[in-house]
Amino acid sequence: MKVLALAASSSSTSINKQLATYAAGLVPNADVDVLDLNDFEMPIFSEDKEKELGQPEPAKRFFQKLGEADAIVISYAEHNGSYAAAFKNVFDWTSRIDMKVYQGKPVIMLATSPGPGGAASVLAAATGSAPYFAAEVKGSLSIPSFYDNFDMEKGELRNEELVEQLKTIVAAL
């Protein structure tokens, strides 16, 4: 199974990228491809820019990467209760290629933050809108207090309850 893992964050030290990579690694016999959102930088989306540029190559590549995957694991960074601007921009451009951004793929949606909220607000928005963008959400999980629950040296969750919840979600793929 080809699993695409990505963080909805442009941070070079993204805790969401660490979480998505870890979760994708739990899929048995998976061929994991980890995307870096920075590889898909584009001007801020607007109708005027779209008329000027058409569909930028990075949006086409992002859409193609999603299409080539058998499953997608995405972990959302939360900025002021919503999507990180970098992800929202890539998503907006890609949705202009095809509203079915996720192309009917099975998707696991995660989110984490350093604080106790675990980026739950953005995760709720993402899971709530997922059907409109052809994501078959197999499960979602918010990881609160990332640094308390994730072992940075081992690159894995250390909270057994969260590990079990995540394994259950991953098994749905």
Side-chain angles (χ1 to χ4, degrees):
M1 176 184 288
K2 187 172 181 179
V3 179
L4 185 68
L6 71 136
S9 167
S10 60
S11 171
S12 64
T13 58
S14 172
I15 59 178
N16 280 282
K17 189 172 188 177
Q18 291 175 57
L19 179 60
T21 302
Y22 167 70
L26 295 176
V27 178
N29 303 312
D31 174 17
V32 178
D33 183 12
V34 181
L35 284 190
D36 185 334
L37 202 60
N38 292 303
D39 293 338
F40 303 94
E41 267 191 45
M42 292 172 271
I44 294 175
F45 176 80
S46 72
E47 288 184 9
D48 293 336
K49 280 287 181 196
E50 184 179 35
K51 286 175 188 167
E52 175 189 337
L53 302 173
Q55 297 170 337
E57 284 304 313
K60 292 176 185 176
R61 283 189 292 109
F62 186 77
F63 186 73
Q64 181 180 353
K65 283 288 199 182
L66 295 175
E68 291 170 348
D70 296 314
I72 300 165
V73 176
I74 184 167
S75 189
Y76 295 90
E78 185 174 275
H79 292 189
N80 297 317
S82 190
Y83 298 101
F87 173 76
K88 183 72 168 79
N89 192 51
V90 170
F91 191 86
D92 288 346
W93 276 111
T94 304
S95 72
R96 300 299 280 200
I97 294 169
D98 189 333
M99 266 310 265
K100 296 178 178 167
V101 173
Y102 295 107
Q103 305 169 54
K105 305 292 179 175
V107 180
I108 293 173
M109 293 188 167
L110 308 170
T112 192
S113 70
S121 294
V122 71
L123 184 59
T127 57
S129 67
Y132 300 106
F133 302 105
E136 186 184 327
V137 180
K138 293 297 187 178
S140 65
L141 182 63
S142 167
I143 305 294
S145 306
F146 181 80
Y147 296 105
D148 293 339
N149 289 307
F150 195 88
D151 185 322
M152 298 294 286
E153 287 182 21
K154 293 181 180 176
E156 63 188 27
L157 280 174
R158 68 176 108 200
N159 179 311
E160 283 305 315
E161 184 180 323
L162 293 172
V163 169
E164 290 308 312
Q165 289 177 40
L166 185 55
K167 284 182 177 179
T168 299
I169 291 169
V170 167
L173 290 177

